[in-house]
Amino acid sequence: MLKFVNLPRNTPTKESIDSRKKNFKEIYARYSNNKASEQASRCSQCGVPFCQVHCPLHNNIPDWLKLAAEDRLEEAYELSSSTNNMPEVCGRICPQDKLCEGNCVIEQAGHGTVTIGSIEKYITDHAWDQGWIKPIKINLERSQSVGIIGAGPAGLAAAEELRKKGYQITVYDRYDRPGGLLIYGIPNFKLEKEVVLKRTNRLKESGIEFKLNCEVGSTVSFKKLKENHDAILIATGVYKPHSINLNTNNASNVVPAMEFLTASNRKGLYDKVENFDNGKLNSFNKNVLVIGGGDTAMDCVRTAIRQSPASVKCLYRRDQKNMPGSQRDVLNAIEEGIEFNWLTLPINYIGGEKIEIIKAVKMNLGSPDETGRRHPVQVSGSEHEIKCDLVIEALGFDPENIPKIFNEPDLQVTQRGTININFKSMMSKIDGIFAAGDIVRGSSLVVWGIKDGRDVATCIHNYLEEKYSKFIRLSNKKVANAI
Ligand SMILES: Cc1cc2nc3c(=O)[nH]c(=O)nc-3n(C[C@H](O)[C@H](O)[C@H](O)COP(=O)(O)OP(=O)(O)OC[C@H]3O[C@@H](n4cnc5c(N)ncnc54)[C@H](O)[C@@H]3O)c2cc1C
Ligand code: SF4
């Protein structure tokens, strides 16, 4: 059972952040060796591995559980990392209730799931501690190079897989640190930043070059990248925030979710963040309202509650059952003291330079919409006011206009603005330009980003092999003709 502990009301410092980590023990708790093998031995080796089927990476879960149960952790690590580039990350942040664990036969029988994610995390954390995870060993260096735009899970998984095959890899990212949403989106209390840094440092030590603070389309042109590399992967994620469009006065205390989360993640990395220190992006002593009901909204409310606010409320227009994200995160938020105003829709922001009150209405759920969820309808006469000092809008993301940013009109996009690829070759309409991750799927999950990164690496390898053999055939023909 999680416990919310009242925190001291002072501006967070390194010491107070560390002390909060101790207070919110559930996040940083680690399995002991005994506990991991005890849990792993609960797997009934049922012969119908629904867990494996429902893991996007089709991880060989039953086999590494068996190895963990027998305390053969190095072998368990080898097996688990053969299908997953970041098992310790997925073990921490996959919505297991919707994937592997939700489909565990023991869970279905009502006896509580085998805690697959926690065991996966334990195995790889242990492998790091034991020094089993080393830089990639390259057997054959190739001269062909691949440029990867975006250092999120999709770009990083592709970079690792291609480097293993000996390609020269450069990863470009507009952020100052690699990791994408792993570093600046997902909060520290779900995924400690050291875990991400260890992964990205290993890639650097493996010979992958990172060009950071490098925005393709402004710092460097897409055309230049095409000239410099034999293939390009676009793995830029989706970052254009949806808005409820009520902030007509541009009030300074209405902020998009990513701005709020990035500031807090930077603080967790001990960066100087002016807008956090001056209070703009800090919940300390404030009545915080988060609008939205997805995973990003849950990350915002749970981040806010850790900053000693006066109160944190989440406003969502449907009910708890119809929330789009992981129910596990919602339950965590409730247990940590977040107040949920379900079936509530903001209709007006009231205030000047700062919004002080949100006018909202209550909703009823009507018939299901195209996604199968029941459509919310306003209840007449239900208008009410909610006091606020900080409003965080967490309403989802759209892709940015990549063809425009890259000045590449031939790059085709779908109606949703995601990049249009051939799903077999993962190549866009332009020869040698591939795409993967959220920029193809729309907002998704880390584990799907890793899966796409691994798949696109295979596609790029096949493409470059073909290109190389064509080149050899042509050269041989030229030599033959010349003789
Ligand atoms: C707040 C939040 C919480 C989440 N929590 C979870 C969770 O708990 N579990 C889970 O499984 N998933 C979660 N997700 C979803 C998950 O993070 C994404 O699905 C995943 O990160 C997508 O990976 P990606 O590599 O496609 O893109 P990203 O991780 O977004 O990485 C894209 C990278 O491209 C870079 N980039 C973009 N444009 C350019 C450019 N022009 N030039 C150079 N670089 C560029 C960006 O800086 C970024 O580093 C969460 C998402 C959010 C927003
Ligand atoms: S990667 Fe995610 S879905 Fe797959 S086994 Fe690990 S925690 Fe479960």
Side-chain angles (χ1 to χ4, degrees):
M1 182 75 169
L2 309 183
K3 255 205 170 110
F4 173 62
V5 183
N6 272 327
L7 300 169
R9 288 179 183 271
N10 54 8
T11 307
T13 58
K14 183 178 180 308
E15 285 70 30
S16 73
I17 290 167
D18 286 341
S19 108
R20 279 165 200 201
K21 286 181 187 175
K22 282 183 208 127
N23 287 332
F24 286 91
K25 273 203 187 84
E26 81 283 4
I27 308 299
Y28 289 86
R30 278 183 71 159
Y31 270 6
S32 65
N33 208 343
N34 284 347
K35 175 93 170 131
S37 78
E38 181 193 309
Q39 262 298 319
S41 64
R42 289 184 62 234
C43 173
S44 63
Q45 300 288 319
C46 58
V48 276
F50 289 124
C51 55
Q52 186 169 0
V53 174
H54 288 270
C55 164
L57 293 163
H58 301 314
N59 282 341
N60 193 341
I61 302 165
D63 283 0
W64 51 251
L65 285 179
K66 191 162 187 281
L67 289 167
E70 292 168 5
D71 217 8
R72 293 160 63 186
L73 288 176
E74 191 161 3
E75 290 163 85
Y77 161 70
E78 291 294 342
L79 188 58
S80 132
S81 61
S82 67
T83 51
N84 190 350
N85 301 72
M86 307 175 202
E88 74 283 28
V89 171
C90 292
R92 282 170 167 82
I93 54 147
C94 268
Q96 286 101 3
D97 53 336
K98 287 183 159 183
L99 302 171
C100 53
E101 293 181 10
N103 291 282
C104 166
V105 167
I106 300 179
E107 168 78 1
Q108 304 286 334
H111 299 295
T113 180
V114 174
T115 53
I116 298 166
S118 299
I119 299 166
E120 187 179 32
K121 160 183 177 290
Y122 172 77
I123 293 169
T124 314
D125 283 349
H126 187 73
W128 277 112
D129 292 348
Q130 296 299 310
W132 298 336
I133 305 179
K134 302 235 159 52
I136 303 164
K137 215 168 123 211
I138 316 291
N139 293 324
L140 166 79
E141 285 287 356
R142 298 173 195 253
S143 59
Q144 288 160 303
S145 82
V146 182
I148 297 180
I149 313 170
L156 294 179
E160 177 170 353
E161 292 306 302
L162 286 164
R163 185 70 192 123
K164 280 183 193 161
K165 293 193 191 306
Y167 292 104
Q168 308 309 310
I169 308 295
T170 309
V171 182
Y172 302 83
D173 203 292
R174 61 186 174 192
Y175 281 146
D176 55 348
R177 291 185 175 95
L181 290 171
L182 299 178
I183 199 93
Y184 288 136
I186 300 171
N188 206 25
F189 61 83
K190 274 168 70 178
L191 176 62
E192 309 94 296
K193 299 306 156 195
E194 309 86 78
V195 173
V196 185
L197 295 175
K198 264 200 267 186
R199 275 285 158 201
T200 51
N201 284 341
R202 173 176 174 264
L203 295 182
K204 285 180 198 160
E205 287 160 16
S206 305
I208 293 172
E209 189 187 358
F210 284 89
K211 288 200 186 291
L212 302 172
N213 292 311
C214 181
E215 176 150 8
V216 176
S218 60
T219 324
V220 60
S221 70
F222 186 65
K223 186 164 169 266
K224 188 90 196 145
L225 258 58
K226 283 202 294 182
E227 286 163 13
N228 286 354
H229 298 289
D230 298 285
I232 305 272
L233 169 62
I234 304 172
T236 46
V238 290
Y239 283 88
K240 199 167 95 191
H242 288 186
S243 171
I244 198 161
N245 291 327
L246 295 175
N247 188 17
T248 44
N249 288 343
N250 280 330
S252 60
N253 61 338
V254 179
V255 298
M258 266 307 284
E259 215 176 291
F260 175 72
L261 292 172
T262 304
S264 146
N265 275 321
R266 282 195 179 281
K267 278 314 272 188
L269 286 154
Y270 307 114
D271 286 357
K272 180 155 177 44
V273 185
E274 206 183 313
N275 278 338
F276 187 92
D277 298 334
N278 67 21
K280 184 182 175 213
L281 298 172
N282 181 345
S283 312
F284 175 65
N285 241 348
K286 290 182 183 163
N287 293 299
V288 181
L289 294 188
V290 176
I291 304 173
D295 288 336
T296 303
M298 292 313 102
D299 286 347
C300 289
V301 291
R302 298 185 68 202
T303 299
I305 199 86
R306 283 162 169 76
Q307 294 172 354
S308 306
S311 70
V312 183
K313 287 193 180 77
C314 178
L315 271 50
Y316 180 54
R317 64 191 178 133
R318 291 189 169 90
D319 60 4
Q320 183 178 0
K321 211 171 117 219
N322 284 280
M323 289 178 94
S326 158
Q327 279 296 320
R328 191 184 56 181
D329 276 351
V330 178
L331 293 176
N332 282 336
I334 294 171
E335 285 182 332
E336 288 173 5
I338 315 298
E339 190 184 317
F340 279 84
N341 291 18
W342 281 294
L343 294 164
T344 303
L345 177 75
I347 53 165
N348 201 0
Y349 288 173
I350 301 168
E353 155 50 15
K354 288 198 170 165
I355 300 298
E356 284 154 20
I357 286 172
I358 280 191
K359 202 175 248 186
V361 285
K362 293 304 283 180
M363 309 294 281
N364 262 338
L365 290 182
S367 40
D369 62 14
E370 66 282 0
T371 66
R373 284 184 304 153
R374 291 171 63 198
H375 191 70
V377 194
Q378 286 191 21
V379 177
S380 64
S382 65
E383 278 191 17
H384 58 285
E385 293 183 345
I386 309 168
K387 212 176 125 206
C388 60
D389 304 307
L390 174 62
V391 181
I392 303 167
E393 294 190 340
L395 298 151
F397 304 91
D398 277 332
E400 292 158 283
N401 188 339
I402 299 289
K404 192 167 167 221
I405 294 172
F406 287 1
N407 193 18
E408 186 58 82
D410 290 342
L411 194 62
Q412 283 189 11
V413 293
T414 65
Q415 274 182 343
R416 295 158 62 213
T418 51
I419 294 177
N420 200 347
I421 55 166
N422 172 320
F423 273 87
K424 211 164 153 213
S425 65
M426 297 187 78
M427 192 150 74
S428 71
K429 299 285 174 194
I430 308 174
D431 185 57
I433 311 297
F434 296 78
D438 278 8
I439 193 58
V440 174
R441 286 180 183 275
S443 290
S444 180
L445 293 174
V446 169
V447 65
W448 281 112
I450 295 173
K451 156 102 174 95
D452 290 349
R454 294 174 70 87
D455 288 350
V456 80
T458 306
C459 294
I460 294 175
H461 172 61
N462 293 342
Y463 168 84
L464 290 176
E465 286 267 277
E466 176 61 28
K467 199 168 162 181
Y468 182 67
S469 30
K470 221 185 240 169
F471 170 76
I472 297 289
R473 279 199 303 272
L474 271 174
S475 309
N476 285 347
K477 208 166 158 190
K478 268 190 199 155
V479 173
N481 286 345
I483 295 172

